[in-house]
Amino acid sequence: MRRLLVSSVAVVALLAGASAAAAQDPHAGHAGHTAPAAAQSEDARLAAFFEQAFQERIALSPQTMTSLGLKTDYDRLDDATDAAADRSLALAERQLLQLNDQFNPRTLSDESRLSWRLFEYGVEQARLSNRWREWGYQFAANGNPTTGLPVFMINNHRVDSVSDAEAYVARLRDSERVMGEIAAELRDRAAHGVVSPHFVFEPSIANTRNIITGAPFDDGADNPVWADFQRKVGALDADAATKERLLAEGRSALTGEWRRGYESVLAALAEVEVQAAAKPDRDAGVWRLPEGEAFYNARLRLSTTTDLTADQIHEIGLSEVARLHGEMQAIMTRVGFTGSLQEMFAFLKTDPRFQYPNTPEGKEAYLTDSRAFIAQVMAAAPALFHDLPEAALEVRSVEPWREATASVAFYNSPSPDGTRPGIYYVNLSDMTQVLKPQIEAISYHEGAPGHHFQIAAAQEMEDLPRFRRFGGYGAYAEGWGLYAERLGLEMGFYQDPYSDFGRLSLELWRAVRLVTDTGLHAKRWSREQAIEYFQQNSLLSERDIVKEVERYLTNPGQATSYKVGELKIMELRRRAQAALGARFDIRDFHAVVLGSGSVPLEVLEDQVDAWIAAGGGTPG
Protein backbone atom coordinates (compact mmCIF):
# COMPACT_ATOMS: atom_id res chain seq x y z
CA MET A 1 0.00 0.00 0.00
CA ARG A 2 2.25 2.70 -0.78
CA ARG A 3 2.09 4.96 -0.95
CA LEU A 4 4.19 7.11 -2.67
CA LEU A 5 6.10 5.49 -0.16
CA VAL A 6 8.78 7.61 0.89
CA SER A 7 9.69 4.28 2.42
CA SER A 8 10.49 2.65 -0.89
CA VAL A 9 13.96 1.48 -1.88
CA ALA A 10 13.74 3.93 -4.79
CA VAL A 11 13.68 6.82 -2.37
CA VAL A 12 16.50 5.32 -0.34
CA ALA A 13 18.51 5.12 -3.55
CA LEU A 14 17.57 8.69 -4.43
CA LEU A 15 18.58 10.15 -1.10
CA ALA A 16 21.33 7.71 -0.12
CA GLY A 17 24.42 9.55 0.86
CA ALA A 18 22.33 12.66 1.30
CA SER A 19 21.29 14.36 4.43
CA ALA A 20 20.66 17.60 6.13
CA ALA A 21 21.20 19.98 8.84
CA ALA A 22 20.81 19.11 12.41
CA ALA A 23 22.65 22.27 13.24
CA GLN A 24 23.22 21.57 16.91
CA ASP A 25 24.21 18.66 19.10
CA PRO A 26 20.87 17.02 19.97
CA HIS A 27 22.19 16.37 23.49
CA ALA A 28 23.30 19.93 24.17
CA GLY A 29 21.18 21.80 26.66
CA HIS A 30 19.72 18.71 28.33
CA ALA A 31 19.90 18.86 32.10
CA GLY A 32 22.90 16.99 33.42
CA HIS A 33 24.37 16.39 29.96
CA THR A 34 26.72 18.90 28.38
CA ALA A 35 28.75 17.59 25.49
CA PRO A 36 32.40 18.68 25.26
CA ALA A 37 32.95 21.68 23.02
CA ALA A 38 35.04 19.63 20.60
CA ALA A 39 32.23 17.06 20.17
CA GLN A 40 29.73 19.85 19.64
CA SER A 41 31.98 21.31 16.99
CA GLU A 42 32.37 17.97 15.24
CA ASP A 43 28.62 17.35 15.36
CA ALA A 44 28.03 20.73 13.74
CA ARG A 45 30.67 20.04 11.10
CA LEU A 46 29.09 16.66 10.34
CA ALA A 47 25.66 18.28 10.12
CA ALA A 48 27.03 20.73 7.58
CA PHE A 49 28.51 17.85 5.59
CA PHE A 50 25.15 16.06 5.60
CA GLU A 51 23.40 19.22 4.43
CA GLN A 52 25.84 19.68 1.59
CA ALA A 53 25.53 16.02 0.63
CA PHE A 54 21.76 16.30 0.61
CA GLN A 55 21.87 19.39 -1.60
CA GLU A 56 24.15 17.59 -4.03
CA ARG A 57 21.86 14.60 -4.17
CA ILE A 58 18.60 16.42 -4.73
CA ALA A 59 20.29 18.61 -7.36
CA LEU A 60 20.22 15.49 -9.55
CA SER A 61 16.42 15.35 -9.29
CA PRO A 62 14.35 18.41 -10.19
CA GLN A 63 11.19 16.55 -9.20
CA THR A 64 12.55 15.75 -5.74
CA MET A 65 13.34 19.42 -5.26
CA THR A 66 9.80 20.31 -6.25
CA SER A 67 8.35 17.74 -3.84
CA LEU A 68 10.39 19.41 -1.09
CA GLY A 69 8.90 22.80 -1.91
CA LEU A 70 11.90 24.15 -3.84
CA LYS A 71 11.64 25.82 -7.23
CA THR A 72 15.17 25.17 -8.45
CA ASP A 73 15.15 23.66 -11.97
CA TYR A 74 11.39 24.13 -11.83
CA ASP A 75 11.13 23.82 -15.62
CA ARG A 76 12.78 20.40 -15.83
CA LEU A 77 11.85 16.78 -15.19
CA ASP A 78 14.06 13.97 -13.96
CA ASP A 79 16.43 11.98 -16.13
CA ALA A 80 14.99 8.46 -16.49
CA THR A 81 18.07 6.80 -18.02
CA ASP A 82 20.44 4.19 -16.62
CA ALA A 83 23.21 6.77 -16.94
CA ALA A 84 21.38 9.02 -14.49
CA ALA A 85 21.03 6.16 -12.01
CA ASP A 86 24.76 5.49 -12.35
CA ARG A 87 25.55 9.15 -11.66
CA SER A 88 23.38 9.08 -8.56
CA LEU A 89 25.12 6.01 -7.15
CA ALA A 90 28.57 7.38 -8.03
CA LEU A 91 27.82 10.55 -6.09
CA ALA A 92 26.64 8.53 -3.08
CA GLU A 93 29.82 6.45 -3.17
CA ARG A 94 32.01 9.58 -3.33
CA GLN A 95 30.15 11.10 -0.41
CA LEU A 96 30.64 7.96 1.67
CA LEU A 97 34.37 8.09 0.99
CA GLN A 98 34.41 11.74 2.06
CA LEU A 99 32.53 10.90 5.24
CA ASN A 100 35.06 8.25 6.22
CA ASP A 101 38.00 10.44 5.25
CA GLN A 102 36.92 13.65 6.98
CA PHE A 103 35.33 12.44 10.25
CA ASN A 104 36.11 10.17 13.17
CA PRO A 105 33.02 8.58 14.76
CA ARG A 106 34.75 8.52 18.17
CA THR A 107 34.61 12.32 18.27
CA LEU A 108 30.84 12.47 17.68
CA SER A 109 27.75 12.31 19.85
CA ASP A 110 25.55 9.21 19.89
CA GLU A 111 22.96 10.86 17.64
CA SER A 112 25.58 11.87 15.07
CA ARG A 113 27.00 8.34 15.09
CA LEU A 114 23.50 7.04 14.38
CA SER A 115 23.23 9.40 11.41
CA TRP A 116 26.61 8.16 10.20
CA ARG A 117 25.40 4.56 10.47
CA LEU A 118 22.19 5.32 8.57
CA PHE A 119 24.06 7.27 5.91
CA GLU A 120 26.34 4.30 5.31
CA TYR A 121 23.46 1.83 5.37
CA GLY A 122 21.58 3.89 2.79
CA VAL A 123 24.51 3.78 0.39
CA GLU A 124 24.77 0.01 0.88
CA GLN A 125 21.08 -0.31 0.04
CA ALA A 126 21.47 1.90 -3.03
CA ARG A 127 24.45 -0.17 -4.14
CA LEU A 128 22.45 -3.39 -3.85
CA SER A 129 19.44 -1.88 -5.59
CA ASN A 130 21.60 -0.58 -8.43
CA ARG A 131 23.23 -4.00 -8.87
CA TRP A 132 19.82 -5.44 -9.80
CA ARG A 133 18.26 -2.39 -11.45
CA GLU A 134 17.94 -4.00 -14.88
CA TRP A 135 16.01 -6.95 -13.43
CA GLY A 136 13.11 -4.75 -12.35
CA TYR A 137 9.91 -4.30 -14.31
CA GLN A 138 9.10 -0.78 -15.48
CA PHE A 139 5.39 -1.51 -15.79
CA ALA A 140 3.85 -3.18 -12.77
CA ALA A 141 0.38 -4.31 -11.79
CA ASN A 142 0.14 -1.51 -9.22
CA GLY A 143 1.73 1.36 -11.06
CA ASN A 144 3.71 2.43 -14.08
CA PRO A 145 5.99 5.33 -15.03
CA THR A 146 3.44 7.02 -17.28
CA THR A 147 0.81 7.72 -14.62
CA GLY A 148 3.25 9.17 -12.10
CA LEU A 149 3.95 12.32 -14.11
CA PRO A 150 0.35 13.63 -14.24
CA VAL A 151 0.01 13.01 -10.49
CA PHE A 152 3.25 14.92 -9.91
CA MET A 153 2.16 17.89 -12.02
CA ILE A 154 -1.25 18.11 -10.37
CA ASN A 155 -0.17 17.54 -6.76
CA ASN A 156 3.33 19.01 -6.64
CA HIS A 157 3.87 21.75 -9.22
CA ARG A 158 2.56 24.96 -7.64
CA VAL A 159 1.78 27.97 -9.80
CA ASP A 160 2.24 31.14 -7.75
CA SER A 161 3.50 33.35 -10.55
CA VAL A 162 3.64 33.69 -14.30
CA SER A 163 7.13 32.18 -14.32
CA ASP A 164 5.79 29.14 -12.41
CA ALA A 165 3.16 28.68 -15.12
CA GLU A 166 5.82 28.95 -17.79
CA ALA A 167 7.82 26.32 -15.92
CA TYR A 168 4.72 24.09 -15.92
CA VAL A 169 4.55 24.42 -19.72
CA ALA A 170 8.26 23.68 -20.01
CA ARG A 171 7.76 20.49 -18.04
CA LEU A 172 4.89 19.47 -20.28
CA ARG A 173 7.28 19.86 -23.20
CA ASP A 174 10.09 18.02 -21.39
CA SER A 175 7.78 15.02 -20.98
CA GLU A 176 8.52 14.00 -24.56
CA ARG A 177 12.15 13.39 -23.59
CA VAL A 178 11.17 11.48 -20.44
CA MET A 179 8.66 9.26 -22.21
CA GLY A 180 11.19 8.62 -24.95
CA GLU A 181 13.66 7.45 -22.31
CA ILE A 182 11.01 5.15 -20.81
CA ALA A 183 10.18 3.70 -24.23
CA ALA A 184 13.87 3.13 -25.01
CA GLU A 185 14.42 1.40 -21.68
CA LEU A 186 11.37 -0.81 -22.27
CA ARG A 187 12.77 -1.98 -25.60
CA ASP A 188 16.23 -2.53 -24.14
CA ARG A 189 14.93 -4.63 -21.26
CA ALA A 190 12.72 -6.60 -23.63
CA ALA A 191 15.80 -7.42 -25.68
CA HIS A 192 17.27 -8.94 -22.49
CA GLY A 193 14.08 -10.80 -21.59
CA VAL A 194 13.04 -8.57 -18.67
CA VAL A 195 9.46 -7.53 -19.35
CA SER A 196 6.39 -7.73 -17.13
CA PRO A 197 3.99 -10.66 -17.56
CA HIS A 198 1.25 -10.43 -20.18
CA PHE A 199 -1.46 -9.35 -17.73
CA VAL A 200 0.29 -6.00 -17.20
CA PHE A 201 -0.04 -4.81 -20.79
CA GLU A 202 -3.77 -4.21 -21.13
CA PRO A 203 -4.21 -1.99 -18.02
CA SER A 204 -0.89 -0.22 -18.62
CA ILE A 205 -1.88 0.65 -22.18
CA ALA A 206 -5.34 1.74 -21.04
CA ASN A 207 -4.01 4.01 -18.30
CA THR A 208 -1.36 5.49 -20.57
CA ARG A 209 -3.97 6.20 -23.22
CA ASN A 210 -6.18 7.86 -20.59
CA ILE A 211 -3.49 10.47 -20.04
CA ILE A 212 -3.93 11.77 -23.58
CA THR A 213 -7.74 11.50 -23.63
CA GLY A 214 -10.21 14.36 -23.25
CA ALA A 215 -9.79 18.04 -24.09
CA PRO A 216 -7.54 19.37 -25.52
CA PHE A 217 -6.75 16.03 -27.20
CA ASP A 218 -10.32 15.36 -28.33
CA ASP A 219 -13.87 16.64 -27.82
CA GLY A 220 -14.32 14.99 -24.43
CA ALA A 221 -14.36 16.54 -20.98
CA ASP A 222 -11.20 18.31 -19.86
CA ASN A 223 -8.21 16.04 -19.33
CA PRO A 224 -7.12 16.22 -15.63
CA VAL A 225 -3.77 17.84 -16.46
CA TRP A 226 -5.40 20.41 -18.73
CA ALA A 227 -8.05 21.12 -16.08
CA ASP A 228 -5.31 21.52 -13.46
CA PHE A 229 -3.32 23.94 -15.59
CA GLN A 230 -6.39 26.01 -16.40
CA ARG A 231 -7.32 26.23 -12.73
CA LYS A 232 -3.83 27.26 -11.66
CA VAL A 233 -3.48 29.87 -14.40
CA GLY A 234 -6.97 31.19 -13.66
CA ALA A 235 -6.00 31.84 -10.04
CA LEU A 236 -2.96 33.92 -11.00
CA ASP A 237 -2.76 37.64 -10.36
CA ALA A 238 -2.08 38.45 -14.01
CA ASP A 239 -3.77 40.34 -16.84
CA ALA A 240 -6.13 38.59 -19.24
CA ALA A 241 -3.68 38.70 -22.16
CA THR A 242 -0.97 36.98 -20.13
CA LYS A 243 -3.36 34.27 -18.99
CA GLU A 244 -4.56 33.76 -22.55
CA ARG A 245 -0.95 33.38 -23.70
CA LEU A 246 -0.17 30.86 -20.97
CA LEU A 247 -3.23 28.77 -21.76
CA ALA A 248 -2.36 28.74 -25.46
CA GLU A 249 1.17 27.61 -24.66
CA GLY A 250 -0.12 24.93 -22.31
CA ARG A 251 -2.57 23.63 -24.91
CA SER A 252 0.20 23.57 -27.53
CA ALA A 253 2.55 21.67 -25.21
CA LEU A 254 -0.10 19.09 -24.32
CA THR A 255 -1.20 18.45 -27.91
CA GLY A 256 2.42 18.53 -29.09
CA GLU A 257 5.28 17.21 -26.99
CA TRP A 258 3.16 15.69 -24.20
CA ARG A 259 1.01 13.67 -26.59
CA ARG A 260 3.96 12.62 -28.74
CA GLY A 261 5.81 11.41 -25.65
CA TYR A 262 2.93 9.26 -24.45
CA GLU A 263 2.30 7.96 -27.94
CA SER A 264 5.94 6.82 -28.08
CA VAL A 265 5.38 4.71 -24.95
CA LEU A 266 2.14 3.30 -26.36
CA ALA A 267 3.99 2.36 -29.54
CA ALA A 268 6.70 0.57 -27.56
CA LEU A 269 4.13 -1.31 -25.45
CA ALA A 270 2.39 -2.46 -28.62
CA GLU A 271 5.51 -3.71 -30.39
CA VAL A 272 5.50 -7.42 -31.20
CA GLU A 273 9.08 -7.82 -29.96
CA VAL A 274 8.24 -6.28 -26.57
CA GLN A 275 5.10 -8.33 -26.02
CA ALA A 276 6.81 -11.48 -27.23
CA ALA A 277 9.39 -11.06 -24.44
CA ALA A 278 6.68 -10.87 -21.78
CA LYS A 279 6.54 -13.70 -19.30
CA PRO A 280 3.60 -16.12 -19.40
CA ASP A 281 0.97 -15.26 -16.83
CA ARG A 282 0.98 -18.74 -15.33
CA ASP A 283 4.64 -19.09 -14.37
CA ALA A 284 5.72 -15.48 -13.98
CA GLY A 285 7.94 -15.65 -10.89
CA VAL A 286 11.37 -14.06 -11.15
CA TRP A 287 12.95 -17.49 -10.79
CA ARG A 288 12.56 -17.61 -14.57
CA LEU A 289 15.01 -14.73 -15.04
CA PRO A 290 18.76 -15.19 -15.32
CA GLU A 291 20.14 -15.20 -11.76
CA GLY A 292 16.53 -15.00 -10.63
CA GLU A 293 17.16 -16.57 -7.22
CA ALA A 294 19.92 -14.09 -6.38
CA PHE A 295 17.74 -11.22 -7.57
CA TYR A 296 14.87 -12.30 -5.35
CA ASN A 297 17.16 -12.69 -2.34
CA ALA A 298 18.36 -9.13 -2.92
CA ARG A 299 14.77 -7.93 -3.14
CA LEU A 300 13.98 -9.58 0.20
CA ARG A 301 16.98 -7.90 1.78
CA LEU A 302 15.97 -4.52 0.40
CA SER A 303 12.33 -4.94 1.40
CA THR A 304 12.77 -6.30 4.92
CA THR A 305 16.18 -4.85 5.96
CA THR A 306 16.86 -8.33 7.39
CA ASP A 307 18.77 -11.45 6.38
CA LEU A 308 15.66 -13.64 6.51
CA THR A 309 15.63 -16.23 3.74
CA ALA A 310 12.68 -16.97 1.48
CA ASP A 311 12.11 -20.27 3.32
CA GLN A 312 12.11 -18.54 6.71
CA ILE A 313 9.67 -15.87 5.54
CA HIS A 314 7.42 -18.53 4.04
CA GLU A 315 7.29 -20.44 7.34
CA ILE A 316 6.63 -17.28 9.34
CA GLY A 317 3.72 -16.60 7.01
CA LEU A 318 2.24 -20.07 7.46
CA SER A 319 2.50 -19.74 11.25
CA GLU A 320 0.84 -16.33 11.27
CA VAL A 321 -1.97 -17.52 8.99
CA ALA A 322 -2.74 -20.35 11.43
CA ARG A 323 -2.70 -18.01 14.45
CA LEU A 324 -4.99 -15.46 12.83
CA HIS A 325 -7.44 -18.11 11.68
CA GLY A 326 -7.77 -19.11 15.34
CA GLU A 327 -8.51 -15.54 16.44
CA MET A 328 -11.11 -15.23 13.70
CA GLN A 329 -12.80 -18.41 14.87
CA ALA A 330 -13.22 -16.81 18.31
CA ILE A 331 -15.09 -13.85 16.78
CA MET A 332 -17.25 -16.21 14.71
CA THR A 333 -18.27 -17.95 17.95
CA ARG A 334 -18.99 -14.56 19.52
CA VAL A 335 -21.40 -13.54 16.74
CA GLY A 336 -22.98 -17.00 16.56
CA PHE A 337 -21.76 -17.96 13.09
CA THR A 338 -21.72 -21.77 12.92
CA GLY A 339 -20.20 -22.35 9.49
CA SER A 340 -16.56 -22.77 8.46
CA LEU A 341 -14.07 -19.94 8.16
CA GLN A 342 -14.37 -20.08 4.37
CA GLU A 343 -18.15 -19.84 4.70
CA MET A 344 -17.70 -16.79 6.93
CA PHE A 345 -15.54 -15.21 4.23
CA ALA A 346 -18.23 -15.92 1.63
CA PHE A 347 -20.92 -14.49 3.90
CA LEU A 348 -19.07 -11.21 4.38
CA LYS A 349 -18.33 -10.92 0.66
CA THR A 350 -21.92 -11.46 -0.45
CA ASP A 351 -24.25 -10.06 2.23
CA PRO A 352 -25.39 -6.56 1.12
CA ARG A 353 -25.07 -5.16 4.64
CA PHE A 354 -21.29 -5.33 4.32
CA GLN A 355 -21.08 -3.37 1.07
CA TYR A 356 -21.63 0.18 -0.09
CA PRO A 357 -23.79 0.89 -3.14
CA ASN A 358 -21.76 0.93 -6.35
CA THR A 359 -22.80 4.54 -6.98
CA PRO A 360 -21.31 8.01 -6.52
CA GLU A 361 -23.27 8.18 -3.26
CA GLY A 362 -21.75 4.88 -2.13
CA LYS A 363 -18.26 6.17 -2.85
CA GLU A 364 -18.91 9.35 -0.93
CA ALA A 365 -20.23 7.30 2.00
CA TYR A 366 -16.96 5.37 2.07
CA LEU A 367 -14.96 8.60 2.15
CA THR A 368 -17.20 10.04 4.88
CA ASP A 369 -16.79 6.94 7.04
CA SER A 370 -13.01 6.94 6.54
CA ARG A 371 -12.80 10.57 7.61
CA ALA A 372 -14.84 9.77 10.72
CA PHE A 373 -12.45 6.95 11.66
CA ILE A 374 -9.49 9.33 11.24
CA ALA A 375 -11.21 11.97 13.37
CA GLN A 376 -11.83 9.62 16.27
CA VAL A 377 -8.18 8.57 16.24
CA MET A 378 -7.03 12.18 16.36
CA ALA A 379 -9.23 12.76 19.42
CA ALA A 380 -7.94 9.67 21.25
CA ALA A 381 -4.30 9.77 20.16
CA PRO A 382 -2.89 11.85 23.07
CA ALA A 383 -3.41 8.83 25.33
CA LEU A 384 -0.89 6.86 23.24
CA PHE A 385 1.40 9.55 21.81
CA HIS A 386 3.28 12.49 23.30
CA ASP A 387 3.24 14.42 20.00
CA LEU A 388 1.07 14.43 16.86
CA PRO A 389 2.09 15.58 13.37
CA GLU A 390 1.22 19.15 12.49
CA ALA A 391 0.52 18.43 8.80
CA ALA A 392 -3.09 18.10 7.73
CA LEU A 393 -4.46 14.74 6.53
CA GLU A 394 -7.03 14.34 3.75
CA VAL A 395 -8.91 11.31 2.43
CA ARG A 396 -9.38 11.20 -1.36
CA SER A 397 -10.48 8.67 -3.94
CA VAL A 398 -8.01 7.66 -6.65
CA GLU A 399 -8.55 9.57 -9.86
CA PRO A 400 -10.49 7.49 -12.44
CA TRP A 401 -7.77 7.75 -15.07
CA ARG A 402 -5.31 5.72 -12.95
CA GLU A 403 -7.65 3.35 -11.11
CA ALA A 404 -6.73 0.33 -13.23
CA THR A 405 -3.16 0.17 -11.94
CA ALA A 406 -3.52 1.92 -8.57
CA SER A 407 -3.26 0.02 -5.30
CA VAL A 408 -6.26 -0.64 -3.05
CA ALA A 409 -5.18 2.20 -0.74
CA PHE A 410 -2.00 4.22 -0.23
CA TYR A 411 -0.56 7.34 1.38
CA ASN A 412 1.12 10.39 -0.18
CA SER A 413 3.32 12.44 2.11
CA PRO A 414 2.72 16.16 2.73
CA SER A 415 5.03 18.87 1.46
CA PRO A 416 7.50 20.20 4.02
CA ASP A 417 6.21 23.76 3.63
CA GLY A 418 2.65 22.79 4.51
CA THR A 419 1.15 23.66 1.12
CA ARG A 420 0.23 20.03 0.38
CA PRO A 421 -1.43 17.84 3.04
CA GLY A 422 -0.80 14.18 3.68
CA ILE A 423 -3.23 12.28 1.45
CA TYR A 424 -4.81 8.91 2.16
CA TYR A 425 -5.96 7.62 -1.24
CA VAL A 426 -8.54 4.84 -1.69
CA ASN A 427 -9.30 3.03 -4.94
CA LEU A 428 -13.09 3.06 -5.35
CA SER A 429 -13.27 1.87 -8.95
CA ASP A 430 -15.70 -0.94 -8.08
CA MET A 431 -17.67 -0.64 -4.85
CA THR A 432 -18.92 -4.23 -5.16
CA GLN A 433 -15.38 -5.25 -4.23
CA VAL A 434 -15.16 -3.02 -1.15
CA LEU A 435 -16.01 -4.58 2.22
CA LYS A 436 -17.27 -2.34 5.03
CA PRO A 437 -15.72 -4.42 7.85
CA GLN A 438 -12.23 -3.66 6.51
CA ILE A 439 -12.49 0.10 6.12
CA GLU A 440 -11.77 0.98 9.73
CA ALA A 441 -8.42 -0.82 9.83
CA ILE A 442 -7.42 0.48 6.38
CA SER A 443 -8.06 4.03 7.61
CA TYR A 444 -5.86 3.50 10.64
CA HIS A 445 -3.08 2.01 8.49
CA GLU A 446 -2.97 4.55 5.68
CA GLY A 447 -4.02 7.58 7.70
CA ALA A 448 -3.87 7.90 11.47
CA PRO A 449 -2.21 6.58 13.56
CA GLY A 450 -0.44 4.83 10.70
CA HIS A 451 1.56 6.32 7.86
CA HIS A 452 0.62 9.91 8.61
CA PHE A 453 1.87 9.66 12.20
CA GLN A 454 5.14 8.16 11.01
CA ILE A 455 5.93 9.83 7.67
CA ALA A 456 4.54 13.32 8.29
CA ALA A 457 5.97 13.35 11.81
CA ALA A 458 9.42 12.35 10.55
CA GLN A 459 9.42 15.20 8.05
CA GLU A 460 8.75 17.60 10.91
CA MET A 461 11.80 16.48 12.98
CA GLU A 462 13.95 19.46 12.08
CA ASP A 463 16.79 18.36 14.35
CA LEU A 464 17.38 15.30 12.13
CA PRO A 465 19.39 15.34 8.90
CA ARG A 466 17.07 15.58 5.94
CA PHE A 467 18.15 12.26 4.46
CA ARG A 468 16.57 10.76 7.57
CA ARG A 469 13.50 12.98 7.50
CA PHE A 470 12.64 12.31 3.85
CA GLY A 471 14.05 8.85 3.16
CA GLY A 472 13.23 5.55 4.73
CA TYR A 473 12.66 1.82 4.68
CA GLY A 474 9.59 -0.18 3.72
CA ALA A 475 9.81 -2.71 6.54
CA TYR A 476 9.75 0.07 9.12
CA ALA A 477 7.05 2.20 7.49
CA GLU A 478 4.76 -0.64 6.48
CA GLY A 479 5.42 -2.45 9.74
CA TRP A 480 4.29 0.66 11.59
CA GLY A 481 1.20 0.92 9.40
CA LEU A 482 0.18 -2.64 10.22
CA TYR A 483 0.99 -2.12 13.90
CA ALA A 484 -1.25 0.98 13.81
CA GLU A 485 -4.22 -1.15 12.79
CA ARG A 486 -3.87 -3.03 16.08
CA LEU A 487 -3.53 0.26 17.99
CA GLY A 488 -7.10 1.09 17.05
CA LEU A 489 -8.16 -1.79 19.29
CA GLU A 490 -6.19 -0.34 22.20
CA MET A 491 -7.89 3.01 21.63
CA GLY A 492 -11.24 1.35 22.21
CA PHE A 493 -12.37 1.17 18.60
CA TYR A 494 -13.61 -1.77 16.48
CA GLN A 495 -16.75 -1.82 18.62
CA ASP A 496 -18.55 -3.82 15.93
CA PRO A 497 -17.25 -7.43 16.08
CA TYR A 498 -17.48 -7.61 12.29
CA SER A 499 -15.15 -4.62 12.07
CA ASP A 500 -12.74 -6.38 14.43
CA PHE A 501 -12.99 -9.44 12.19
CA GLY A 502 -12.16 -7.07 9.34
CA ARG A 503 -9.08 -5.91 11.26
CA LEU A 504 -7.93 -9.51 11.64
CA SER A 505 -8.65 -10.11 7.97
CA LEU A 506 -6.28 -7.30 7.00
CA GLU A 507 -3.54 -8.66 9.24
CA LEU A 508 -4.22 -12.07 7.70
CA TRP A 509 -3.87 -10.49 4.27
CA ARG A 510 -0.30 -9.44 5.17
CA ALA A 511 0.48 -12.90 6.55
CA VAL A 512 -0.78 -14.48 3.33
CA ARG A 513 1.57 -12.14 1.48
CA LEU A 514 4.56 -13.80 3.14
CA VAL A 515 3.36 -17.17 1.88
CA THR A 516 2.36 -16.16 -1.64
CA ASP A 517 5.23 -13.80 -2.46
CA THR A 518 7.82 -16.41 -1.51
CA GLY A 519 5.68 -19.12 -3.06
CA LEU A 520 5.63 -17.36 -6.43
CA HIS A 521 9.29 -16.35 -6.58
CA ALA A 522 11.16 -18.98 -4.54
CA LYS A 523 8.92 -22.06 -4.61
CA ARG A 524 7.80 -21.68 -8.24
CA TRP A 525 4.09 -21.42 -7.56
CA SER A 526 1.93 -20.57 -10.53
CA ARG A 527 -0.25 -17.46 -10.58
CA GLU A 528 -3.29 -19.73 -10.18
CA GLN A 529 -1.78 -21.46 -7.12
CA ALA A 530 -1.25 -18.12 -5.40
CA ILE A 531 -4.76 -16.95 -6.23
CA GLU A 532 -6.24 -20.20 -4.90
CA TYR A 533 -4.25 -19.93 -1.65
CA PHE A 534 -5.55 -16.38 -1.20
CA GLN A 535 -9.12 -17.47 -1.87
CA GLN A 536 -8.93 -20.24 0.72
CA ASN A 537 -7.18 -18.26 3.42
CA SER A 538 -8.25 -14.61 3.22
CA LEU A 539 -11.25 -12.30 3.11
CA LEU A 540 -10.06 -10.24 0.17
CA SER A 541 -12.51 -9.69 -2.67
CA GLU A 542 -11.95 -11.59 -5.91
CA ARG A 543 -10.79 -8.44 -7.68
CA ASP A 544 -8.32 -7.56 -4.94
CA ILE A 545 -6.94 -11.10 -4.78
CA VAL A 546 -6.05 -11.01 -8.46
CA LYS A 547 -4.60 -7.48 -8.14
CA GLU A 548 -2.55 -8.57 -5.14
CA VAL A 549 -1.05 -11.64 -6.79
CA GLU A 550 -0.25 -9.66 -9.91
CA ARG A 551 1.34 -6.99 -7.76
CA TYR A 552 3.68 -9.54 -6.13
CA LEU A 553 4.63 -10.94 -9.51
CA THR A 554 5.68 -7.52 -10.78
CA ASN A 555 7.18 -6.12 -7.57
CA PRO A 556 8.88 -9.12 -5.97
CA GLY A 557 9.64 -9.03 -2.27
CA GLN A 558 8.01 -5.70 -1.45
CA ALA A 559 4.87 -7.25 0.03
CA THR A 560 6.90 -9.11 2.66
CA SER A 561 7.88 -5.86 4.37
CA TYR A 562 4.56 -5.31 6.19
CA LYS A 563 4.39 -8.38 8.41
CA VAL A 564 8.13 -8.63 8.97
CA GLY A 565 8.19 -5.03 10.20
CA GLU A 566 5.07 -5.37 12.37
CA LEU A 567 6.32 -8.55 14.00
CA LYS A 568 9.58 -6.81 14.93
CA ILE A 569 7.75 -3.83 16.49
CA MET A 570 5.53 -6.17 18.49
CA GLU A 571 8.56 -8.22 19.59
CA LEU A 572 10.30 -5.08 20.81
CA ARG A 573 7.19 -3.88 22.61
CA ARG A 574 6.82 -7.17 24.49
CA ARG A 575 10.51 -7.06 25.35
CA ALA A 576 10.16 -3.54 26.76
CA GLN A 577 7.05 -4.42 28.74
CA ALA A 578 8.74 -7.44 30.28
CA ALA A 579 11.90 -5.54 31.16
CA LEU A 580 10.34 -2.30 32.42
CA GLY A 581 7.21 -3.64 34.11
CA ALA A 582 5.31 -0.80 35.80
CA ARG A 583 7.73 1.75 34.32
CA PHE A 584 6.56 0.92 30.77
CA ASP A 585 4.60 3.79 29.22
CA ILE A 586 3.16 3.21 25.76
CA ARG A 587 3.65 6.88 24.88
CA ASP A 588 7.36 6.61 25.64
CA PHE A 589 7.66 3.41 23.60
CA HIS A 590 6.02 5.09 20.61
CA ALA A 591 8.32 8.09 21.03
CA VAL A 592 11.32 5.75 20.77
CA VAL A 593 9.94 3.86 17.77
CA LEU A 594 9.03 7.05 15.88
CA GLY A 595 11.71 9.35 17.24
CA SER A 596 14.57 8.50 14.86
CA GLY A 597 12.60 8.61 11.64
CA SER A 598 12.36 5.59 9.35
CA VAL A 599 15.21 3.19 10.10
CA PRO A 600 16.27 -0.39 9.27
CA LEU A 601 14.83 -2.94 11.69
CA GLU A 602 18.23 -3.74 13.17
CA VAL A 603 18.69 -0.07 14.04
CA LEU A 604 15.20 0.10 15.53
CA GLU A 605 16.02 -2.86 17.74
CA ASP A 606 19.23 -1.20 18.94
CA GLN A 607 17.32 2.01 19.73
CA VAL A 608 14.67 0.22 21.78
CA ASP A 609 17.26 -1.92 23.59
CA ALA A 610 19.24 1.20 24.53
CA TRP A 611 16.07 2.83 25.87
CA ILE A 612 15.27 -0.26 27.94
CA ALA A 613 18.83 -0.36 29.28
CA ALA A 614 18.48 3.30 30.35
CA GLY A 615 15.42 2.40 32.39
CA GLY A 616 12.70 3.66 30.07
CA GLY A 617 11.13 7.06 30.48
CA THR A 618 10.37 9.76 27.95
CA PRO A 619 13.19 9.94 25.35
CA GLY A 620 14.81 13.29 25.47
Side-chain angles (χ1 to χ4, degrees), residues 461-478:
M461 296 176 187
E462 296 185 358
D463 58 333
L464 294 185
R466 280 196 282 175
F467 82 97
R468 291 174 59 181
R469 291 167 59 197
F470 299 107
Y473 301 89
Y476 172 91
E478 297 299 358

Side-chain angles (χ1 to χ4, degrees), residues 307-374:
D307 293 322
L308 289 170
T309 67
D311 284 343
Q312 289 172 319
I313 292 172
H314 193 83
E315 290 303 314
I316 291 170
L318 291 173
S319 176
E320 283 294 284
V321 167
R323 177 184 66 80
L324 290 161
H325 280 181
E327 293 189 25
M328 290 175 140
Q329 291 283 356
I331 293 181
M332 290 165 56
T333 299
R334 178 182 167 191
V335 300
F337 190 88
T338 58
S340 67
L341 185 60
Q342 284 70 32
E343 287 171 333
M344 180 68 164
F345 292 158
F347 167 62
L348 291 172
K349 290 179 183 181
T350 57
D351 192 299
R353 84 181 87 166
F354 301 119
Q355 293 182 344
Y356 292 95
N358 193 22
T359 63
E361 292 77 16
K363 295 179 181 183
E364 190 56 40
Y366 182 111
L367 296 173
T368 298
D369 287 348
S370 296
R371 291 168 184 138
F373 289 134
I374 297 296

